[in-house]
Amino acid sequence: MTSHPPASSTPSPSSTASPTPTPSPSPTIDLDLWSDFVCAHCYYGTRRVTNAIAAQPDPGVFRLRWRSFELDPRPAGQRPTGDLYDYLARFNGSREAGRAAMEMIGAIATADGLPFDADAARPGNTVDAHRLIHLAGEDGRQTEVAQRFYAAYWTEGLPIAEHTALLEVAEEAGLDPARAREVLAGDAFTAEVAEDQELAMSIGIMGVPTVVVAGRWALSAGMPLDTLSEQLKRMTAEALEA
């Protein structure tokens, strides 16, 4: 008769190994950035936000969401004609006052390393540009497309309301041209643009650029970069401790 060794009472290594703990999800701090492409302060202010993020100890903790804000939502037929200074005269009192304001803003942008040419700007309704930013969010390319729109408008004379021009610039920034054409041909993301503006009003945002940190604190994105970076660092620490 064949004998068999007694069964071992020692558990196998696999039965004694501790289960691998499930890693905790990495914390995320939401940054909601409201701006409009025809807003000169937004041109340098939004860039200060992305620079402030890059200056943080852990930039990867942030999720930046570009929110829509239309300074002038009127369609083309209801808007004043003329160049940027004709348009600004309605708010600044004269073409000369509007030009002086742009020169002041241009000096700030230039000091931040951004080219600026207000003479090239061609005012227009920005709803379609904002719709494309929502499309870009599906591919995680909001920042690339938004920054390209800003540069094209404030330095290259991008007619912000014209679909052909928008499509060309969006494609340069990596947006799928076929999908972008489809969006502009219909009303996709129109509701999202409106929702962003309704949300801004509901939380008291009346001007741009404004960035909301962790849904709790609103900051003017036009403040000096060092100040913005310090405020963001402090608020991030508070949000992570909560």
Side-chain angles (χ1 to χ4, degrees):
M1 181 176 65
T2 305
S3 62
H4 298 278
S8 172
S9 61
T10 303
S12 65
S14 60
S15 64
T16 59
S18 300
T20 303
T22 302
S24 301
S26 300
T28 299
I29 302 296
D30 286 329
L31 300 179
D32 293 290
L33 177 57
W34 274 269
S35 69
D36 196 12
F37 300 108
V38 296
C39 163
H41 289 293
C42 296
Y43 175 38
Y44 69 82
T46 55
R47 188 61 65 97
R48 286 181 177 179
V49 170
T50 57
N51 287 341
I53 292 172
Q56 299 304 302
D58 183 10
V61 77
F62 301 102
R63 178 172 58 183
L64 178 61
R65 297 185 291 201
W66 291 75
R67 299 286 195 174
S68 307
F69 195 100
E70 292 180 83
L71 289 174
D72 186 352
R74 291 177 295 175
Q78 300 176 20
R79 301 172 68 89
T81 58
D83 64 12
L84 175 65
Y85 305 110
D86 290 325
Y87 185 82
L88 291 176
R90 297 170 59 88
F91 306 97
N92 296 82
S94 68
R95 285 178 56 87
E96 292 71 23
R99 185 177 293 276
M102 288 298 103
E103 289 176 352
M104 178 191 70
I105 295 172
I108 297 172
T110 300
D112 281 5
L114 296 172
F116 187 85
D117 182 6
D119 291 348
R122 299 171 63 181
N125 184 283
T126 57
V127 64
D128 288 330
H130 286 298
R131 292 201 295 135
L132 290 180
I133 294 302
H134 278 279
L135 171 63
E138 294 185 343
D139 297 326
R141 303 193 64 83
Q142 280 193 320
T143 297
E144 292 88 342
V145 177
Q147 289 183 343
R148 186 67 190 94
F149 281 171
Y150 272 112
Y153 181 80
W154 287 107
T155 69
E156 303 167 18
L158 168 70
I160 194 71
E162 294 184 9
H163 287 187
T164 300
L166 281 175
L167 287 169
E168 181 179 345
V169 175
E171 184 176 359
E172 291 174 3
L175 209 55
D176 177 70
R179 184 73 178 99
R181 279 193 295 272
E182 180 184 345
V183 166
L184 293 182
D187 62 357
F189 301 112
T190 300
E192 286 81 352
V193 171
E195 288 166 4
D196 279 352
Q197 295 182 96
E198 291 167 3
L199 177 59
M201 293 188 65
S202 72
I203 60 178
I205 295 175
M206 304 302 293
V208 289
T210 297
V211 60
V212 174
V213 182
R216 296 170 60 185
W217 303 281
L219 294 172
S220 168
M223 69 176 67
L225 176 58
D226 288 347
T227 305
L228 181 60
S229 296
E230 285 302 316
Q231 292 275 17
L232 182 57
K233 183 178 181 179
R234 178 181 62 81
M235 292 173 180
T236 298
E238 289 189 31
L240 293 176
E241 290 172 1

